[in-house]
Amino acid sequence: MAYDKSDARAALAPAAAAKPSTGLIAESQLATFYDTAADVDDTNGKSWFVRGQNFVLVQSEAQPGGTFARKDQADEYVVLLLEAGAAIIADGVIKVLQGNTIAFVPPGDSSVTLPEGGRFFRMFTSQSPDLVAQCPNADAYDVPRTHIPEFQAWPTPKDGWKLRHYSLDVAKEPGRFGRIFRCTTFMVNILDPWDGPRDTTKMSPHHHDEFEQGSLVLEGMYSHHLRWPWTTDMADWRDDVEVKVGAPSAFVIPPPVVHTSRATGAGRNAMVDIFCPPRQDFSAKSGWVLNADDYPMPDISE
């Protein structure tokens, strides 16, 4: 991993050196919501779907009063509200939330209603086959991808299931990387926005050995750069890739591909990183996960 000294991730403990494992690496997955037709278009609004191996990301543009319900939801899911507010019902309890909020919705029956309409995002695990089936790339992982372990949720909160929500209005703090929140199924990092293009002398090429990363572009323009590792099997080798995208868009980066993203827009550029399940290394950094007290970490000694 290569981080500029100004990057908070430079303080992460270096991973143990290991020979890259051979075998088929998952393909990256790209969804450009801004220039493709919606996958669902009904009286509640328009929705676009894309999946990774472990998760499904849904962007919705709700009509005023549009309601998006889940019945018998298997596990916890994420609602990311930006400009628009919403009323969320879970376990028979209703909470009215303003924009600039992230919410974690418990398993079971729930609904999200946007009284004034607007754009919002939801994140589900791929344990919801009905949502996977709505993804244009639903079959992208039909061939097993052994670099990513089987999904396993993190421990249930000690005080039980309930709707939890947090404001994204969090001041930037030296030494902390973005604004990170986690639940039992996801870790979401709302990265600090870039004003103008990113400095090309301060890039951050790195890789993950066994988890994928979703990069959700909210504003501006980005270039995602990918480099496949040279294993002992030349069948694993690929040419370097640069993927140029606008907003909103989503890009799923498979392990162990080396990657870095560069903001390229002249104005404000904003992106969110998505991990399913949460990351151990970020969780181990004191003060990085802003709601760490609400969600226990797994005991990795077991």
Side-chain angles (χ1 to χ4, degrees):
M1 298 187 182
Y3 297 115
D4 182 78
K5 63 182 180 181
S6 63
D7 192 313
R9 290 170 294 178
L12 291 171
K19 182 177 70 174
S21 60
T22 60
L24 186 65
I25 296 172
E27 299 292 339
S28 58
Q29 304 294 318
L30 173 64
T32 52
F33 304 135
Y34 55 88
D35 64 359
T36 55
D39 301 303
V40 174
D41 187 350
D42 58 23
T43 56
N44 290 305
K46 298 180 179 181
S47 293
W48 291 257
F49 291 72
V50 66
R51 70 165 299 189
Q53 177 161 310
N54 283 345
F55 68 90
V56 173
L57 170 66
V58 187
Q59 176 196 269
S60 296
E61 293 180 359
Q63 293 287 351
T67 295
F68 302 79
R70 294 296 294 163
K71 185 173 179 58
D72 297 326
Q73 172 64 28
D75 49 15
E76 199 170 27
Y77 70 95
V78 181
V79 176
L80 180 61
L81 302 169
L82 299 173
E83 303 89 1
I88 302 180
I89 299 176
D91 286 337
V93 176
I94 183 169
K95 291 194 176 181
V96 178
L97 306 179
Q98 303 299 313
N100 206 34
T101 297
I102 189 168
F104 299 124
V105 184
D109 296 349
S110 61
S111 66
V112 182
T113 300
L114 277 74
E116 299 181 3
R119 183 181 67 164
F120 74 109
F121 299 89
R122 287 169 293 159
M123 303 166 203
F124 302 88
T125 75
S126 52
Q127 307 301 304
S128 294
D130 63 314
L131 298 178
V132 171
Q134 295 186 77
C135 298
N137 66 330
D139 60 355
Y141 301 88
D142 286 354
V143 176
R145 311 298 191 174
T146 57
H147 290 79
I148 306 174
E150 184 177 353
F151 173 79
Q152 185 172 359
W154 279 27
T156 303
K158 293 180 180 178
D159 59 348
W161 293 116
K162 63 180 179 181
L163 175 64
R164 301 171 196 271
H165 56 92
Y166 310 90
S167 171
L168 304 182
D169 186 15
V170 179
K172 188 174 181 178
E173 183 177 314
R176 192 189 72 223
F177 183 54
R179 291 161 288 169
I180 302 174
F181 299 88
R182 73 165 185 251
C183 64
T184 59
T185 50
F186 282 89
M187 172 176 281
V188 182
N189 187 5
I190 297 87
L191 298 167
D192 297 317
W194 292 91
D195 185 12
R198 183 177 180 179
D199 187 343
T200 58
T201 69
K202 296 182 178 180
M203 300 303 294
S204 54
H206 62 284
H207 76 281
H208 312 300
D209 286 330
E210 56 180 19
F211 58 86
E212 60 189 349
Q213 174 178 317
S215 291
L216 170 61
V217 175
L218 301 176
E219 297 180 66
M221 302 286 293
Y222 280 81
S223 284
H224 301 298
H225 297 270
L226 304 183
R227 172 167 288 180
W228 275 254
W230 280 17
T231 70
T232 56
D233 184 350
M234 287 185 69
D236 298 333
W237 299 10
R238 306 286 176 84
D239 292 334
D240 290 354
V241 171
E242 178 184 5
V243 179
K244 298 180 180 180
V245 295
S249 62
F251 192 56
V252 183
I253 303 163
V257 175
V258 178
H259 58 279
T260 188
S261 296
R262 178 175 181 258
T264 59
R268 178 184 167 96
N269 300 280
M271 190 167 69
V272 172
D273 282 345
I274 301 164
F275 305 98
C276 178
R279 291 178 61 161
Q280 286 276 358
D281 56 350
F282 281 10
S283 293
K285 295 292 292 182
S286 178
W288 277 30
V289 179
L290 297 172
N291 66 332
D293 290 343
D294 292 343
Y295 286 94
M297 292 177 61
D299 184 354
I300 59 176
S301 66
E302 295 180 354

